[in-house]
Amino acid sequence: MKCLVIEDDPITADYILKGLREAGHLPFLCRSGLDGLHHAVNEEWDIVILDRLLPGGVEGLSIVRRLRELEKATPVLVLSALDAIDERVLGLRSGADDYLPKPFAFQELLARVEVLVRRATARGAPPQQYLQVADLVLDLRSRRVRRGETPIPLLPREFRLLEYLMRNSGELITRTMLLEAVWDCHFDPQTNVINVQVSRLRSKIDKDFNPALIHTIRGAGYRFGPEA
Amino acid sequence: MKLSIAARLAASYGLLVMGTVAGVAGVFYGATIGLLEQSIDREIETISRRLVDQYQVAAPGSLPDALARELTDGAYSDEEILMLIAADGRVLSGNLLVWPLLDAPAGELQSTWLKRRGQRTPVRFLLRDLGDGNRLLVGRDMREQQAMRELVLRALVVGALVALGLAMGGTVYFRRQLESPIGAIRRATNEIESGDLGRRMPPLGDDEFGRLATDINRMLDRIEQLMDGVRHVSNSIAHDLRTPLTRIRSRLELALGEDGGAEEARGAMADAIAGIDDLIVLFNRLLQIAETESGVNARNFTPIDVNRIAEDMVELYDASAEEQGVALNLTTRQGQPTLGDHNLIASALASLIDNAMKYAGSGAQVEVAAHACRDTVSLSVKDDGPGIPPESLPLVTQRFYRVDPSRSLPGNGLGLSIVEAIATMHGGRLELRNLYPGFEAEIILPRRGLPVPCEP
């Protein structure tokens, strides 16, 4: 997919561009805010990855605001060294879809980018009643889950966790993304609570079945799907 | 030109005094001289009416006698002027030999100056037509009234001068009163600006300036406290980030010097990244404390529901509790509105639950509860573990402090510092107590709405 990267620091920019290319995407780099705004507004992108403090005193968020004023729904992920809570709030209020503080791990960035693009693509689609991955079926209306013919009882929060994993099946999902999407926690609880939550879910949906659907990606997070 | 506040206040004070004096003088003058003159006018009119009646009803010939009677009855006889004047200007009768103002209109009270008994004299008079060409003049010598008027005016002028003097004196006094405390405050702020940060406003008594000085002092205390906080953070960074940095550096340097090959190098890099990630976490937490303690996030406060936060956090930790063999229970009570930052309160509670599970260990009972009591709401986490040695209790909220036996467990000694900073930032507090057996940590926050009875 086409990614517009607006970032002035050459090392960070190389790091992002190289990673995106390796993941099979087509990144394009702008080093200044003005240039970035020009490209963001005049071309079609699958996603815009934006630094906040750009040379020439351009605030990255002004690019998001301009995009939204023009009613462009291009997903925007803001990268920033400004990590205070109110800075994040400001970022999201300006119309950004996600906010990732620096320093970050590339896998975290990639996972978020892919989820954002997928969500944007799915936006126009009609609401589904069922989500299905392999023989696991999740009924969004009756809130029931079954694998093959076997019903699997889940706690409400486990249901939300599974729904999120299934909606993003095939993508890398990081622990932070799960914390934010399923528990609405925008902080790092320091311990491995998410690992334990995922293992409990795994013991319910994967233990007695084949193939295994929840795969742990070491040092990064999880991937959901029949293939590892 | 811009006038100083003192000058403006003093000028308005002076104007106010002058205005007051003028007002009082006007009222006083009207009530004395004015009334006196009115009563004289009335008297002139009464006498003239009576004489005219007599002239027309009784007999014209009796009027000179009536005039003579009037002039000898002893009532104001000295000041009265009465004359009967013929159409040709001849004086038929009366106590003046000539009347110089024959053209004066009849029927109206008028004032003039005449020469009487050798003196210029103010006279108030009323001329009346008697119908047959003759005219009657009734007048009054106003010398005494004139003298009294002058006396009163002089007194008023003297009074006004005294008032002006007082106003000017008051102005000077005002300036002094305003300038002395303001000068003291300015001197103190100048000294603070030039680097004496411990300097405070001098005590200025219990007036407005005194209260202003107290407010400024409180603000300075707060600023100093924040600066201490910043200094403390930088000290902490210096002490506690150098060690891991040194470790990462040595690890990389060793790998660089050795001929361990690619595998060894990769291992060193992975270790370095892990070490840097830990440092980032530590760094973020220190920043978070500083940010929280400065209270800058308070403007993002929204209504929050502590019950929901308690439920969410218990749901987040239930799997871990299950895995560690800890029984995690929740008690909530309905209707506990408060203002705050959802994420910060949630992270504080998560930190307390985490601590309880970590230090109470496997097989423990951990009770999470949301209470309300009078005007507070609280989130408490109670365990049945070993508690904290009493001598460590006041120290555990200090940054990087760790109770000795827990040094082997993972952690950075910042958890409770952050929880306390979050509680303080919300206008609340963190209470820690040993329960023998067990330990309880409670975040107490101010409650919105009407006070509620406490639960048993």
Side-chain angles (χ1 to χ4, degrees):
Chain A
M1 58 197 177
K2 284 179 70 189
C3 317
L4 177 64
V5 180
I6 308 176
E7 166 67 75
D8 61 308
D9 177 57
I11 293 184
T12 313
D14 280 353
Y15 176 60
I16 298 173
L17 257 58
K18 182 163 175 283
L20 286 173
R21 272 192 214 106
E22 276 171 11
H25 302 306
L26 298 169
F28 180 82
L29 176 68
C30 290
R31 288 189 188 279
S32 82
L34 227 56
D35 203 18
L37 179 63
H38 178 77
H39 284 278
V41 170
N42 293 315
E43 289 163 50
E44 290 303 317
W45 300 96
D46 291 307
I47 188 157
V48 176
I49 300 167
L50 182 63
D51 186 23
R52 259 191 78 175
L53 300 174
L54 293 166
V58 178
E59 155 71 283
L61 293 184
S62 62
I63 299 179
V64 190
R65 280 191 212 106
R66 189 78 196 109
L67 268 180
R68 298 304 180 239
E69 276 165 22
L70 296 171
E71 295 185 352
K72 290 203 160 224
T74 318
V76 175
L77 183 143
V78 174
L79 281 177
S80 177
L82 301 173
D83 183 30
I85 294 166
D86 44 348
E87 296 294 345
R88 274 176 190 239
V89 171
L90 182 66
L92 297 178
R93 277 198 197 135
S94 302
D97 299 274
D98 205 350
Y99 196 102
L100 188 61
K102 288 179 177 177
F104 57 91
F106 182 75
Q107 273 172 317
E108 184 76 39
L109 174 69
L110 183 64
R112 283 169 184 267
V113 163
E114 285 176 346
V115 165
L116 282 180
V117 172
R118 171 179 281 231
R119 201 175 70 191
T121 326
R123 208 172 283 157
Q128 300 161 278
Q129 185 181 354
Y130 299 102
L131 296 176
Q132 179 158 14
V133 175
D135 58 343
L136 179 71
V137 179
L138 180 138
D139 183 338
L140 288 164
R141 216 164 292 163
S142 68
R143 305 194 72 76
R144 276 197 206 115
V145 177
R146 63 188 160 77
R147 184 130 196 209
E149 293 306 313
T150 323
I152 301 173
L154 291 182
L155 297 170
R157 199 68 72 155
E158 290 171 333
F159 186 88
R160 270 174 72 176
L161 174 58
L162 181 61
E163 180 189 339
Y164 186 81
L165 291 170
M166 288 177 81
R167 281 194 191 278
N168 297 293
S169 68
E171 311 286 0
L172 172 72
I173 308 292
T174 66
R175 292 177 181 82
T176 330
M177 289 161 76
L178 287 178
L179 261 171
E180 290 178 6
V182 181
W183 281 272
D184 194 26
C185 284
H186 296 262
F187 61 90
D188 178 8
Q190 303 288 300
T191 40
N192 60 351
V193 276
I194 293 299
N195 298 8
V196 184
Q197 290 280 2
V198 173
S199 351
R200 189 167 69 177
L201 179 65
R202 180 184 275 145
S203 74
K204 291 188 181 175
I205 64 164
D206 271 354
K207 200 174 154 207
D208 305 320
F209 304 95
N210 257 319
L213 294 174
I214 301 179
H215 308 281
T216 305
I217 312 297
R218 208 173 150 265
Y222 304 96
R223 196 187 301 281
F224 193 84
E227 295 97 32
Chain B
M1 188 186 72
K2 273 205 158 175
L3 285 171
S4 74
I5 290 189
R8 262 183 286 155
L9 278 176
S12 351
Y13 166 71
L15 283 176
L16 194 68
V17 168
M18 299 312 295
T20 313
V21 167
V24 168
V27 169
F28 178 74
Y29 189 86
T32 53
I33 304 295
L35 272 181
L36 213 58
E37 286 179 353
Q38 273 175 27
S39 76
I40 287 174
D41 283 358
R42 264 201 306 279
E43 218 174 297
I44 291 175
E45 278 176 341
T46 315
I47 293 173
S48 115
R49 201 177 305 126
R50 199 171 64 224
L51 290 173
V52 170
D53 283 354
Q54 188 170 352
Y55 182 82
Q56 286 171 344
V57 176
S62 68
L63 195 63
D65 288 343
L67 296 190
R69 251 199 326 278
E70 196 72 45
L71 288 169
T72 50
D73 65 355
Y76 303 112
S77 303
D78 254 7
E79 290 116 54
E80 268 171 329
I81 298 169
L82 292 171
M83 293 170 90
L84 185 62
I85 304 166
D88 57 4
R90 262 180 319 119
V91 175
L92 299 177
S93 170
N95 61 347
L96 267 191
L97 296 179
V98 278
W99 178 250
L101 292 164
L102 287 172
D103 299 335
E108 274 173 44
L109 268 161
Q110 291 170 69
S111 301
T112 188
W113 290 83
L114 290 181
K115 206 158 169 110
R116 188 170 182 246
R117 293 176 193 156
Q119 281 185 342
R120 245 173 81 77
T121 308
V123 170
R124 188 92 172 133
F125 70 93
L126 179 63
L127 202 61
R128 281 228 160 164
D129 253 322
L130 293 174
D132 55 1
N134 290 344
R135 279 178 290 175
L136 172 71
L137 180 125
V138 179
R140 179 68 73 85
D141 180 330
M142 301 287 280
R143 228 175 323 173
E144 256 179 53
Q145 278 71 37
Q146 180 66 23
M148 194 188 289
R149 185 189 303 177
E150 275 164 17
L151 194 72
V152 168
L153 272 178
R154 206 174 308 132
L156 286 179
V157 167
V158 171
L161 287 176
V162 170
L164 187 67
L166 282 176
M168 280 162 71
T171 304
V172 173
Y173 176 74
F174 255 40
R175 282 191 80 124
R176 288 254 172 79
Q177 284 291 302
L178 286 171
E179 270 168 9
S180 113
I182 288 176
I185 291 176
R186 292 192 59 193
R187 273 193 300 283
T189 48
N190 281 340
E191 278 173 48
I192 293 169
E193 197 188 330
S194 58
D196 183 5
L197 297 177
R199 171 79 208 234
R200 289 294 177 269
M201 301 300 135
L204 292 172
D206 195 26
D207 57 5
E208 287 85 344
F209 288 111
R211 285 195 289 277
L212 176 65
T214 317
D215 288 347
I216 294 178
N217 283 343
R218 233 191 349 253
M219 178 186 81
L220 290 170
D221 288 346
R222 176 86 180 115
I223 292 175
E224 199 172 29
Q225 201 185 322
L226 289 176
M227 286 178 56
D228 281 348
V230 171
R231 204 170 304 135
H232 195 115
V233 170
S234 26
N235 289 347
S236 309
I237 291 174
H239 286 127
D240 294 82
L241 299 191
R242 275 199 183 131
T243 321
L245 277 174
T246 314
R247 215 180 296 140
I248 294 167
R249 193 181 182 288
S250 343
R251 181 81 175 87
L252 288 175
E253 202 174 301
L254 277 176
L256 195 65
E258 279 168 12
D259 275 334
E263 204 49 43
E264 169 67 27
R266 290 184 67 85
M269 286 186 221
D271 286 353
I273 289 177
I276 289 171
D277 283 346
D278 287 348
L279 273 175
I280 291 171
V281 168
L282 199 62
F283 189 70
N284 284 343
R285 307 223 96 191
L286 281 170
L287 280 179
Q288 195 199 341
I289 298 180
E291 190 188 311
T292 311
E293 281 180 348
S294 69
V296 290
N297 283 324
R299 59 174 178 270
N300 287 331
F301 280 6
T302 49
I304 54 170
D305 178 358
V306 291
N307 287 334
R308 217 198 97 201
I309 293 176
E311 279 160 21
D312 283 354
M313 290 307 108
V314 167
E315 272 186 39
L316 180 62
Y317 277 88
D318 59 2
S320 304
E322 210 172 277
E323 191 200 49
Q324 289 176 33
V326 171
L328 183 60
N329 295 309
L330 171 70
T331 326
T332 59
R333 178 174 154 165
Q334 285 308 303
Q336 305 187 359
T338 186
L339 272 185
D341 183 302
H342 179 95
N343 266 306
L344 288 177
I345 296 290
S347 71
L349 182 64
S351 185
L352 294 182
I353 296 176
D354 202 64
N355 275 351
M357 284 171 38
K358 190 157 67 183
Y359 297 117
S362 178
Q365 293 273 342
V366 174
E367 306 280 342
V368 178
H371 305 282
C373 181
R374 285 191 284 276
D375 53 354
T376 61
V377 294
S378 71
L379 284 165
S380 77
V381 179
K382 213 186 291 187
D383 65 53
D384 56 358
I388 290 179
E391 66 276 10
S392 297
L393 208 50
L395 304 174
V396 288
T397 54
Q398 291 180 5
R399 294 185 188 95
F400 297 108
Y401 182 86
R402 303 201 65 192
V403 179
D404 262 333
S406 72
R407 288 194 181 273
S408 55
L409 292 169
N412 48 29
L414 290 175
L416 287 177
S417 313
I418 295 179
V419 176
E420 187 176 52
I422 291 173
T424 312
M425 169 196 174
H426 282 79
R429 60 187 190 275
L430 170 68
E431 283 189 1
L432 303 172
R433 54 186 90 88
N434 278 308
L435 298 176
Y436 308 107
F439 184 74
E440 181 174 15
E442 189 172 20
I443 301 167
I444 299 172
L445 302 174
R447 184 180 185 279
R448 287 171 88 207
L450 295 171
V452 289
C454 296
E455 293 154 325

